Amino acid sequence: MKITRIERSVHRLPLDPPFKPSWDSRARHHFDVDLLRVHTDEGLVGVGSGDSMAGFGGHEELFLGQDPRDLDRHFRVVENLSFHYGRCWPLENALWDLYGLYTGEPVWRLLGGRSNRVRCYASSGSLREPGELADLAQLIVEEGFPAMKIRFQRPDWAEDIEALAAVRDAVGESLKLMVDCNQGWRMPWDTTRPWALKEALAVARELEDLDVYWMEEPLHRGDLEGMRLLREEVDLRIAGGEMTRELHELRRLVEGRCLDVLQPDCVVTGGILGLAQLARQAVDAGLEFTPHSWGNGIGLMANAHLAAGVAGSSYFEFPFDPPTWTPERRDYPLVDPLVPDSEGWLTLPEGPGFGLELDEKRLAETRIG
């Protein structure tokens, strides 16, 4: 089997009302999906999506004519490209989908088959007034989710704590609560300084009083020593690593015992092969591995296969912040949006590859490039 063509396209869904993410001072009026398909001479087509893969154009010849089953070889080439250019990992994901199609097995089984499902936590994305956030939490309980992640990054973190306390008062112990402090990275136009260690420690003490399960990205992504010291000082779990660029940096987080919960994303760093190795290292070290999955449903499903097949993650991120962020908006390239069952479980397909069906009509209607 040989790779004959790598097809890339861009699709845009208008958002009305717009989505206002906590990590971005600019509202999102549309949602773009960069879609990649790897074609073969046997008619099989693997699909991946996530990053725009800036700089990949012109490097297709590194893969054309190659056997798509040579996953280690392709992983190393994508790793090199991702060092020199943009994050090209959706291509590696598509090759795993293709390998599953060839073998007739789902990717989660090819990765070890530890489980065929993940239990989702509802990952909210916007900043709301305390009462509105409490209402969302009650809806999340009704939807069957066992846990919810709340976003911080209001002008004063005391306001963040007020919103969190309102949720705890509203739902009691019926939800595990996580908090994303959004201090690890910024959008290009955002020059706000991240918290220092003592500020993060003060916030962590408040979170402990409210029985928070984990505290995500409390410090700048490069402050490894600060993460380690914070982890030693508090009882709640410290999480991070979603946008870490290279695998060796993630390995340092594990080896340095900087985090309790490791959250890389296979469409952003390391692909499925690299993160499968990292997940095993993390689990062996007594850490939790649960991928970031804030993107479209194709990337979410790739990360779900990884989490289920290798790590058996306790909780898996499921972006959910209606009405501005819903499965229907997120998964518009798919025939069926991904939705967990009434107890928060997302069961992965038994069919080959990622088990996804693209909505070709919708893709044609939304294509812009």
Side-chain angles (χ1 to χ4, degrees):
M1 184 165 55
K2 302 296 181 186
I3 297 172
T4 57
R5 183 160 61 102
I6 297 174
E7 177 188 1
R8 299 165 65 198
S9 58
V10 182
H11 307 266
R12 174 166 293 177
L13 179 74
L15 299 179
D16 183 18
F19 174 56
K20 300 177 181 178
S22 63
W23 59 89
D24 191 348
S25 58
R26 302 179 181 180
R28 308 282 175 88
H29 293 273
H30 57 80
F31 177 43
D32 289 356
V33 167
D34 293 270
L35 182 64
L36 183 139
R37 308 190 207 207
V38 180
H39 297 259
T40 70
D41 59 358
E42 295 189 8
L44 299 176
V45 182
V47 174
S49 184
D51 198 88
S52 65
M53 298 176 46
F56 177 77
H59 294 95
E60 291 87 348
E61 55 89 15
L62 298 174
F63 300 92
L64 297 179
Q66 298 288 330
D67 190 325
R69 295 168 294 183
D70 295 341
L71 293 174
D72 186 76
R73 182 263 179 195
H74 302 316
F75 161 80
R76 296 180 188 281
V77 176
V78 172
E79 186 175 43
N80 293 340
L81 287 169
S82 298
F83 173 79
H84 288 284
Y85 304 102
R87 302 176 190 246
C88 298
W89 295 107
L91 173 58
E92 190 264 6
N93 287 196
L95 293 169
W96 273 94
D97 184 38
L98 190 52
Y99 189 54
L101 295 174
Y102 175 79
T103 61
E105 294 285 358
V107 171
W108 63 265
R109 193 178 299 282
L110 295 174
L111 288 169
R114 181 164 179 170
S115 177
N116 71 335
R117 63 179 188 165
V118 288
R119 198 165 193 205
C120 300
Y121 68 87
S123 182
S124 67
S126 59
L127 300 177
R128 303 185 184 212
E129 293 300 316
E132 294 175 343
L133 193 62
D135 289 342
L136 175 62
Q138 290 175 322
L139 172 64
I140 284 169
V141 171
E142 293 169 7
E143 291 288 330
F145 290 97
M148 172 187 183
K149 185 160 74 180
I150 293 166
R151 303 284 175 163
F152 278 17
Q153 212 171 14
R154 294 167 180 81
D156 185 338
W157 61 259
E159 298 174 20
D160 292 322
I161 298 297
E162 180 184 352
L164 174 64
V167 171
R168 180 56 81 199
D169 288 343
V171 301
E173 299 302 315
S174 59
L175 279 180
K176 291 280 187 183
L177 296 180
M178 298 89 159
V179 166
D180 190 339
C181 300
N182 285 134
Q183 300 299 311
W185 56 274
R186 298 279 187 260
M187 300 300 291
W189 46 85
D190 187 348
T191 59
T192 308
R193 295 177 64 88
W195 294 340
L197 174 60
K198 288 189 176 181
E199 192 169 15
L201 181 58
V203 176
R205 298 297 189 205
E206 298 284 346
L207 300 189
E208 286 184 317
D209 288 343
L210 290 165
D211 193 25
V212 167
Y213 186 76
W214 79 49
M215 180 187 195
E216 186 173 332
E217 294 201 325
L219 296 166
H220 184 270
R221 61 190 176 277
D223 189 0
L224 273 60
E225 181 64 9
M227 294 179 207
R228 187 187 65 79
L229 292 171
L230 181 64
R231 183 183 181 229
E232 290 181 352
E233 286 291 324
V234 297
D235 292 330
L236 84 167
R237 299 161 183 82
I238 305 300
E242 68 181 42
M243 292 286 282
T244 301
R245 192 166 187 94
E246 298 216 48
L247 278 167
H248 70 83
E249 295 174 298
L250 290 164
R251 285 192 289 267
R252 286 179 62 196
L253 289 171
V254 175
E255 293 162 359
R257 297 297 193 274
C258 301
L259 298 172
D260 298 283
V261 183
L262 210 62
Q263 300 172 299
D265 186 326
C266 70
V267 308
V268 173
T269 300
I272 291 174
L273 181 62
L275 291 191
Q277 296 168 349
L278 181 80
R280 293 184 178 96
Q281 179 188 8
V283 171
D284 287 347
L287 309 181
E288 187 168 350
F289 178 94
T290 178
H292 169 269
S293 67
W294 197 282
N296 64 67
I298 300 168
L300 186 150
M301 185 58 91
N303 278 294
H305 278 269
L306 171 67
V310 178
S313 306
S314 298
Y315 296 106
F316 179 77
E317 183 171 38
F318 188 87
F320 185 73
D321 199 342
T324 58
W325 201 249
T326 61
E328 290 75 20
R329 284 186 162 193
R330 182 197 63 215
D331 299 347
Y332 72 90
L334 304 177
V335 170
D336 296 310
L338 306 177
V339 180
D341 67 20
S342 60
E343 295 183 345
W345 289 100
L346 181 65
T347 300
L348 305 183
E350 288 287 343
F354 293 145
L356 296 172
E357 182 180 358
L358 298 179
D359 187 337
E360 298 293 355
K361 183 176 183 293
R362 194 76 181 280
L363 289 171
E365 294 170 346
T366 56
R367 183 164 182 165
I368 60 171

